[in-house]
């Protein structure tokens, strides 16, 4: 009868764009829109559209489409409040004296959807399963903070791991879990909000294949039937749920779309109730048609331009700053993104605690004259400037072209070449450091902490640029040791300043989320974090 | 006749091995590391990458990979895609969707196309003929995605005659609009082929003889002229059935039908060799079978053609 669904972020890999031309043509035919009928029988459930998830085992995915479903099936120890702070969910408390040894108290009396009690062991089992290298779980690296991870993931790829469990996990009672980390980490409660840290019932760990088709969680919703691949995933409110986020509706169905334009058409037709991402070509029309049912939100997803600092030609920070200053962020935003995105003024997007307005200052402002001075001071640039980006979305080529024009007009770099790499090849290329020029880099917050951005993308241990800065690393480590969040944020900001002054990677803009809802539902909140749509709050007419 | 059928079926065996190897080589030759691509922007430890590559035999040389694939296939195991889903499960769900869509389009093509062609062929040079020729030219000229989106907006959203997308309403309701869109191109060719072929044959000697014998108009056209005229049409319809099965990528995308075309498209992007080979192999078998049926139909339509 009715259909329902919603969507979040990163359409790139799966959604094909055959639509732009067709859209233009049909629009020019003067087709008027109609409001769409009321979505079907009101049985208290609603539908959201998104892309097909890749996995439903929490630790085996880093895809936001999977998170859409997983965050509703599972209660992690911690969740995020509206301001991006970590608050207890399945936990009674998460505390530490030294930021290295953490004591987790699990709230008593919780049950999985199959009746199995949720204990400290449920979390330990799930995390051990996720951290064990040979299980090849996608989110494996998110457990590297916990002591014993190295023994389970040996450096030598062909060696057998020395341990099958994390030595840093100690179940000290049915409700008590002691977690020892490799190093002090003040952001640990935020990390615990990441979907991969969900608990697993014993039944699930015994048979992951069956669990994938019918996940058994401890969250406010349970599966209604199995995962209908490429069609839909039906969730219904779990009557035995005793946690703090009881569903205000009877259920939610996530419908899969392979084409973003079609999802939007179905939203207009009232066949789905929520869509988290409207394709950017349709946004102006959607604003007009949906009125107050158009849902705009800030996001954490940010685009960057990274430099291969290991290449001598890019070793001079002045050259990198000059390139940053000839990028007309606001101009590109208007030309490519309808002016909806947010030009970057810092390395950290505005929705992350610890963001400072204008931290980047003049280095992120369009100023061709100053840029030229810096460029000349750095000794200019010889040879071919190659710009790398993947073919996942057509907008990448659009803004890369604008940047190339600016490099030519303002800095006199005439020999600019585009290197549009197939998406399946792009990340391996960066991994192997085969790129010979600036490349597009993108980051979406796993959890709202500056550390998630700075350490993962600029930390010397594992950054793609080959940029090494001891002072930066020390400041991050110091912030990670600091219990007081305000002090920690100040230290992250100091590290951020170093990365800005050296500019091994230029911040470009932060994405805007543009969704919509049908007349059938109200109280639709889409958070900018990995929790996404707050399905439990949605009320159905 | 039966010996001919058996010979044709035996010919399918080398074709089957040749195509699977060819497709495997082509997917193998695509650039990129599918396992790394799975992770996107997020970091993946080397040992996890290595484990996955071992699991899917990606460290073996090409022929060893192909050999392992065929060995598993001989035991009825189509393998897994890179997210650990069984390929046979993936494809079986999608074949049902594709078969429904292709059949809907094909029936539409056959019935309406031949009817229009006969109508135009009998009125050669008059208004009906011009209308059919002009209309079909227009349909051939418009790209399928324009047609698809326009039909979706008009019939689905604006007038709400059909559902906009998806398979919720089941067959036939969910498949009518995409079927018509998908079949419209083939319909145009069928109509034009029928029209030209029929109007040629209506001037043939045997038709004049039949008319001279005083047979009724219906019998002359239906029994004599049309039967012969349908030979090129049947050939086209046969080939097109295979195309409809495998080539509905755009239509399936617009109408959100999880069919085989979509799957092959996505799997090529993700370098999922086993999925591509599995899907395309079935397509090859369908092509071989349809071609055989078409050849046998010639004999039914034109008694002068005999298979020995």
């Amino acid at each position: 009868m009715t259909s329902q669904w919603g969507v979040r972020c990163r359409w790139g890999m799966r959604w094909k764009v055959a639509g732009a031309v067709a859209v233009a043509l049909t629009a020019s035919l003067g087709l008027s829109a109609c409001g769409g009928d009321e979505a079907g029988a009101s049985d208290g459930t609603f539908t959201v559209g998104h892309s097909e998830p890749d996995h439903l085992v929490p630790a085996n995915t880093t895809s936001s489409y999977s998170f859409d479903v997983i965050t509703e099936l599972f209660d992690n120890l911690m969740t995020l409040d509206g301001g991006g702070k970590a608050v207890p969910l399945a936990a009674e408390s998460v505390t530490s004296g030294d930021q290295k040894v953490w004591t987790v108290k699990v709230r008593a009396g919780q049950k999985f959807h199959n009746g199995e009690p949720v204990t400290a062991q449920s979390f330990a089992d799930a995390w051990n399963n996720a951290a064990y290298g040979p299980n090849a779980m996608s989110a494996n690296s998110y457990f590297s903070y916990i002591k014993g991870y190295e023994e389970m993931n040996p450096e030598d790829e062909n060696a057998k791991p020395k341990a099958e469990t994390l030595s840093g996990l100690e179940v000290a009672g049915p409700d008590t879990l002691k977690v020892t980390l490799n190093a002090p980490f003040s952001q640990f409660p935020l990390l615990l909000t990441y979907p991969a840290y969900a608990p697993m019932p014993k039944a699930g760990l015994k048979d992951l294949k069956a669990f994938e088709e019918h996940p058994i969680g401890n969250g406010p919703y349970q599966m209604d039937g199995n995962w209908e691949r490429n069609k839909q995933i039906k969730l219904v409110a779990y009557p035995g749920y005793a946690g703090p986020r009881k569903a205000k509706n009877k259920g939610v169905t996530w419908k899969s779309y392979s084409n973003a334009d079609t999802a939007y058409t179905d939203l207009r037709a009232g066949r789905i109730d929520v869509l988290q991402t409207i394709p950017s070509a349709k946004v102006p029309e959607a604003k007009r048609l949906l009125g107050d049912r158009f849902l705009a939100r800030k996001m954490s997803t940010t685009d960057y331009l990274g430099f291969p600092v290991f290449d001598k030609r890019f070793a001079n920070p002045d050259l990198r700053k000059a390139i940053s200053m000839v990028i007309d962020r606001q101009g590109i935003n208007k030309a490519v993104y309808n002016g909806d995105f947010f030009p970057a003024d810092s390395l950290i997007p505005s929705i992350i605690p610890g963001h400072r307005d204008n931290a980047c200052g003049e280095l992120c402002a369009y100023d061709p004259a100053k840029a030229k001075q810096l460029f000349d001071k750095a000794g200019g640039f010889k040879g071919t400037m190659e710009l790398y980006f993947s073919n996942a979305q057509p907008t990448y080529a659009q803004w890369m072209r604008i940047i190339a024009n600016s490099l030519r007009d303002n800095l006199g770099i005439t020999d600019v070449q585009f290197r549009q790499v197939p998406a399946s090849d792009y990340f391996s290329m960066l991994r192997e450091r085969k790129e010979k020029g600036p490349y597009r880099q993108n980051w979406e917050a796993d959890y709202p902490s500056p550390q998630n951005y700075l350490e993962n993308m600029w930390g010397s241990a594992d950054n793609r640029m080959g940029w090494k800065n001891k002072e930066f690393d020390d400041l991050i480590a110091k912030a990670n040791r600091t219990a007081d969040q305000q002090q920690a944020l100040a230290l992250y900001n100091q590290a951020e300043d170093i990365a800005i002054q050296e500019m091994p990677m230029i911040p470009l803009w932060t994405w805007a989320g543009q969704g919509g809802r049908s007349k059938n539902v109200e109280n639709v909140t889409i958070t900018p974090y990995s929790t996404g749509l707050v399905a439990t709050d949605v009320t159905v007419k | 006749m039966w010996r001919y059928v058996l010979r044709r079926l035996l010919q399918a065996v080398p074709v089957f091995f040749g195509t699977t190897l060819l497709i495997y080589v082509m997917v193998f030759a695509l650039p990129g590391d599918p396992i790394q691509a799975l992770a996107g922007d997020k970091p993946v430890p080397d040992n996890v990458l290595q484990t996955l590559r071992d699991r899917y035999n990606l460290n073996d040389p090409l022929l060893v990979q192909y050999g392992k694939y065929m060995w598993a296939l001989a035991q009825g195991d189509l393998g897994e895609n890179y997210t650990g889903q069984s390929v046979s499960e993936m494809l079986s769900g999608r074949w049902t969707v594709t078969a429904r869509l292709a059949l809907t389009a094909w029936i539409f093509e056959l019935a309406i196309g031949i009817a229009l062609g006969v109508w135009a062929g009998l009125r050669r040079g008059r208004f009906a003929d011009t209308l059919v020729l002009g209309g079909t030219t227009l349909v051939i000229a418009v790209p399928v995605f324009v047609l698809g989106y326009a039909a979706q907006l008009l019939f689905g959203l604006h007038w709400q005659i059909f559902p906009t997308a998806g398979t919720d309403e089941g067959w036939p309701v969910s498949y009518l609009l995409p079927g018509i869109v998908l079949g419209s191109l083939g319909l145009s060719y069928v109509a034009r082929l029928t029209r030209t072929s029929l109007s040629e044959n209506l001037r043939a000697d045997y038709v004049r003889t039949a008319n001279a014998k005083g047979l009724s108009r219906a019998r002359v056209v239906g029994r004599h002229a049309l039967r012969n005229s349908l030979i090129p049409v049947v050939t086209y319809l046969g080939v097109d059935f295979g195309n409809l099965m495998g080539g509905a990528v755009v239509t399936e995308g617009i109408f959100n039908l999880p069919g085989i075309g979509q799957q092959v498209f996505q799997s090529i992007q993700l370098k999922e060799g086993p999925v591509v080979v599995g899907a395309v192999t079935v397509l090859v078998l369908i092509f071989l079978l349809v071609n055989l049926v078409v050849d046998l139909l010639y004999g039914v339509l034109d008694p002068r053609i005999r298979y020995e």
Side-chain angles (χ1 to χ4, degrees):
Chain A
M1 259 308 287
T2 78
S3 7
Q4 330 124 38
W5 30 291
V7 187
R8 162 166 8 122
C9 191
R10 237 190 264 153
W11 296 108
M13 288 302 289
R14 296 243 176 210
W15 293 49
K16 301 193 303 300
V17 185
V21 185
V23 173
L25 274 161
T26 45
S28 64
L29 292 173
L31 300 178
S32 66
C34 62
D37 57 352
E38 291 300 311
S42 190
D43 57 355
T45 69
F46 68 104
T47 6
V48 199
H50 69 159
S51 259
E52 173 82 356
D54 62 349
H55 284 288
L56 294 182
V57 174
N60 201 12
T61 181
T62 55
S63 153
S64 60
Y65 312 121
S66 299
F67 294 167
D68 284 339
V69 180
I70 289 170
T71 53
E72 289 158 16
L73 286 169
F74 294 87
D75 268 9
N76 276 30
L77 289 168
M78 305 291 279
T79 188
L80 297 164
D81 66 8
K85 284 206 167 50
V87 291
L89 184 59
E92 189 79 55
S93 63
V94 174
T95 51
S96 171
D98 59 358
Q99 313 302 304
K100 188 171 172 174
V101 180
W102 291 80
T103 306
V104 175
K105 289 272 182 216
V106 180
R107 198 160 32 78
Q110 299 178 81
K111 283 197 164 32
F112 284 103
H113 302 147
N114 63 351
E116 196 181 307
V118 180
T119 62
Q121 194 65 50
S122 319
F123 287 92
D125 289 347
W127 301 356
N128 284 328
N129 174 65
Y132 187 58
N135 290 345
M137 294 278 160
S138 312
N140 166 293
S141 62
Y142 288 84
F143 294 84
S144 61
Y145 297 92
I146 300 173
K147 192 164 178 266
Y149 175 86
E150 282 74 18
E151 284 76 57
M152 296 168 82
N153 296 276
E155 280 290 312
D156 174 14
E157 291 159 357
N158 302 316
K160 201 169 156 29
K162 287 200 273 294
E164 292 196 3
T165 53
L166 290 159
S167 56
L169 292 183
E170 186 200 331
V171 178
D175 303 331
T176 312
L177 182 65
K178 276 182 78 171
V179 188
T180 308
L181 305 180
N182 282 321
F185 187 47
S186 56
Q187 310 298 296
F188 187 63
L190 283 164
L191 178 68
L192 289 176
T193 67
Y194 192 65
Y197 276 84
M200 293 273 285
K202 287 202 163 24
L205 289 162
K206 266 203 216 65
D207 186 353
L208 280 175
K209 271 241 182 306
F211 186 85
E212 179 100 274
E213 299 311 311
H214 192 108
I216 301 155
N218 60 330
Y221 294 97
Q222 61 180 347
M223 294 287 289
D224 178 11
N226 282 2
W227 177 0
E228 298 171 64
R229 299 260 184 178
N230 301 302
K231 187 165 188 254
Q232 62 189 22
I233 297 171
K234 288 181 90 159
L235 307 178
V236 289
Y238 169 50
Y241 183 74
R245 47 172 198 149
K246 197 146 183 68
K248 296 187 174 71
N249 50 61
K250 293 208 170 65
V252 49
T253 302
W254 290 89
K255 280 186 103 79
S256 287
Y257 282 76
S258 57
N259 176 317
D261 290 318
T262 303
Y264 169 67
T265 304
D266 266 2
L267 176 74
R268 282 179 56 193
R271 289 168 64 87
I272 55 169
D273 296 313
V274 182
L275 184 62
Q276 294 179 94
T277 303
I278 290 170
S280 50
K282 296 277 175 65
V283 165
E285 178 196 84
K287 283 181 183 167
R288 201 178 66 239
L289 292 177
L290 296 173
D292 66 341
R293 293 186 288 113
F294 179 82
L295 307 169
R297 69 183 186 281
K298 287 191 166 179
M299 288 176 73
S300 71
T301 311
T302 305
D303 281 331
Y304 301 89
L305 194 66
F307 289 98
V309 177
F310 52 82
D311 180 334
K312 280 191 205 60
R313 296 177 305 160
F314 296 100
N316 189 327
D318 285 329
L319 169 74
R320 305 194 295 250
K321 288 184 209 169
I323 291 174
S324 175
M325 290 165 82
V326 293
I327 297 174
D328 180 3
R329 292 168 177 76
Q330 189 55 39
I332 289 174
N333 179 27
K334 284 203 177 88
V336 180
Y337 297 111
N338 314 311
D340 290 325
F341 280 20
F342 305 96
D345 60 354
S346 126
L347 303 187
I348 300 159
S350 62
I351 58 135
I352 305 287
H355 162 88
R356 293 165 299 159
D357 283 345
N358 221 9
C360 189
E362 63 168 11
L363 293 181
C364 292
Y366 180 59
D367 189 345
K370 265 210 176 113
K372 184 79 172 100
Q373 283 173 5
L374 273 174
F375 182 70
D376 294 335
K377 189 178 138 198
F381 181 83
K382 313 226 170 1
T384 306
M385 176 72 76
E386 297 174 64
L387 299 174
Y388 289 80
F389 51 99
S390 83
N391 64 355
Q393 283 191 26
T395 52
Y396 304 164
Q398 292 167 12
W399 59 256
M400 277 288 188
R401 202 165 296 127
I402 298 174
I403 290 179
N405 288 340
S406 183
L407 291 175
R408 192 189 55 221
D409 299 344
N410 296 315
L411 299 182
I413 304 175
T414 47
D415 185 9
V416 182
Q417 301 268 351
F418 296 116
R419 299 275 178 258
Q420 187 165 17
V421 181
S424 62
D425 209 6
Y426 190 71
F427 302 111
S428 340
M429 176 196 76
L430 293 178
R431 204 184 160 83
E432 292 158 23
R433 298 199 168 160
K434 282 186 181 162
E435 76 279 12
K436 299 189 192 66
Y439 58 90
R440 174 188 174 270
Q441 158 89 26
N442 167 283
W443 193 263
E444 182 186 7
D446 300 316
Y447 45 90
S449 165
Q451 177 272 341
N452 184 236
Y453 286 76
L454 298 170
E455 192 165 13
N456 282 302
M457 287 193 292
W458 281 268
S460 301
D462 192 27
N463 72 46
R464 285 174 177 162
M465 298 91 71
W467 180 70
K468 289 212 176 343
N469 188 304
K470 191 169 177 325
E471 205 186 338
F472 174 92
D473 295 335
D474 291 345
L475 281 163
I476 296 285
K478 196 172 168 190
N480 288 350
R481 281 197 301 274
T482 304
D484 182 87
Q485 286 294 319
Q486 285 311 315
Q487 280 176 27
L489 291 181
L491 288 162
Y492 289 128
N493 286 333
Q494 285 178 35
E496 184 192 3
D497 288 337
I498 293 171
I500 289 170
Q501 283 311 312
E502 290 263 322
M503 204 57 89
M505 187 154 64
I506 299 170
L508 297 171
W509 39 76
T510 299
W511 295 19
Q514 293 134 336
R517 63 174 175 89
S518 74
K519 293 171 183 157
N520 195 32
V521 289
E522 275 171 349
N523 301 315
V524 178
T525 318
I526 304 170
T527 74
Y529 313 116
S530 59
T531 38
L533 172 75
V534 188
T536 46
D537 282 352
V538 175
T539 51
V540 183
K541 283 186 193 164
Chain B
M1 162 89 179
W2 290 112
R3 284 180 58 191
Y4 173 79
V5 172
L6 189 67
R7 201 168 67 230
R8 284 286 299 261
L9 288 176
L10 283 175
Q11 279 170 1
V13 177
V15 171
F16 168 80
F17 279 103
T19 43
T20 48
L21 180 61
L22 200 63
I23 296 156
Y24 215 97
V25 171
M26 287 198 285
V27 175
F28 187 85
L30 288 170
D33 175 356
I35 302 295
Q36 176 65 46
L38 285 179
D41 277 309
K42 301 296 178 182
V44 185
D46 284 331
N47 65 54
V48 169
L49 290 179
Q50 206 54 28
T51 307
L52 286 169
R53 286 195 193 109
D54 280 341
R55 186 180 296 171
Y56 300 116
N57 306 325
L58 292 170
N59 291 323
D60 299 336
L62 169 62
L63 279 173
V64 176
Q65 276 193 47
Y66 176 73
K68 283 184 177 174
Y69 174 79
M70 286 318 260
W71 179 243
L73 192 67
Q75 298 160 53
D77 176 12
L78 282 167
E80 289 182 346
N81 77 341
Y82 298 142
T83 57
Q85 234 188 309
S86 115
V87 173
S88 53
E89 271 175 40
M90 278 171 82
L91 295 184
S92 61
R94 287 179 174 267
W95 276 117
T96 50
V97 172
T98 291
R100 285 170 181 164
L101 176 64
L103 269 173
T104 312
W106 198 69
I107 289 166
F108 172 73
E109 244 175 61
L110 183 142
I112 313 279
I114 292 178
L116 282 176
V118 170
W119 187 48
L122 292 175
R123 289 170 178 64
R124 185 175 168 154
R126 291 167 30 205
F127 174 71
D129 189 25
T130 316
L131 184 75
V132 170
L133 284 180
T136 52
T137 307
L138 189 70
V139 172
I140 291 169
V142 177
V144 69
F145 65 86
V146 176
L147 209 63
Y149 279 114
Q152 185 180 50
L153 286 175
L154 285 171
F155 297 98
L157 186 62
H158 198 57
W159 297 318
Q160 311 210 345
I161 301 169
F162 297 107
T164 43
T167 54
D168 284 346
E169 286 79 3
W171 197 85
V173 177
S174 280
Y175 293 86
L176 283 174
L177 191 59
I180 290 169
V181 167
L182 181 63
S184 58
L185 184 68
L187 177 145
S188 303
Y189 285 120
V190 168
R192 296 171 76 93
L193 271 172
T194 311
R195 174 243 170 223
T196 307
S197 183
L198 180 65
S199 61
E200 290 291 316
N201 277 326
L202 283 175
R203 303 174 186 185
D205 287 345
Y206 69 89
V207 174
R208 196 180 323 145
T209 310
N211 276 325
K213 282 199 299 190
L215 295 178
S216 71
R217 179 81 179 150
R219 198 166 164 78
V220 171
V221 173
R223 183 99 190 139
H224 294 268
L226 190 59
R227 255 178 78 169
N228 266 349
S229 310
L230 282 181
I231 285 190
V233 179
V234 166
T235 310
Y236 178 82
L237 279 171
V239 173
D240 202 44
F241 185 72
N243 285 339
L244 294 175
M245 285 298 243
V249 180
V250 176
T251 314
E252 285 173 3
I254 294 171
F255 292 98
N256 202 37
L257 303 170
I260 217 80
Q262 283 275 306
Q263 183 64 61
V264 171
F265 180 88
Q266 284 173 12
S267 294
I268 289 174
Q269 282 188 310
L270 299 172
K271 275 196 74 170
E272 289 178 332
V275 186
V276 180
V277 178
V280 178
T281 305
V282 181
L283 280 173
V284 168
L285 293 176
I286 289 175
F287 264 100
L288 290 170
L289 202 71
V290 168
N291 270 327
L292 176 62
V293 172
V294 166
D295 285 354
L296 293 176
L297 267 178
Y298 289 164
V300 176
L301 289 169
D302 187 342
R304 289 170 303 185
I305 302 172
R306 281 283 171 267
Y307 298 106
E308 292 311 338

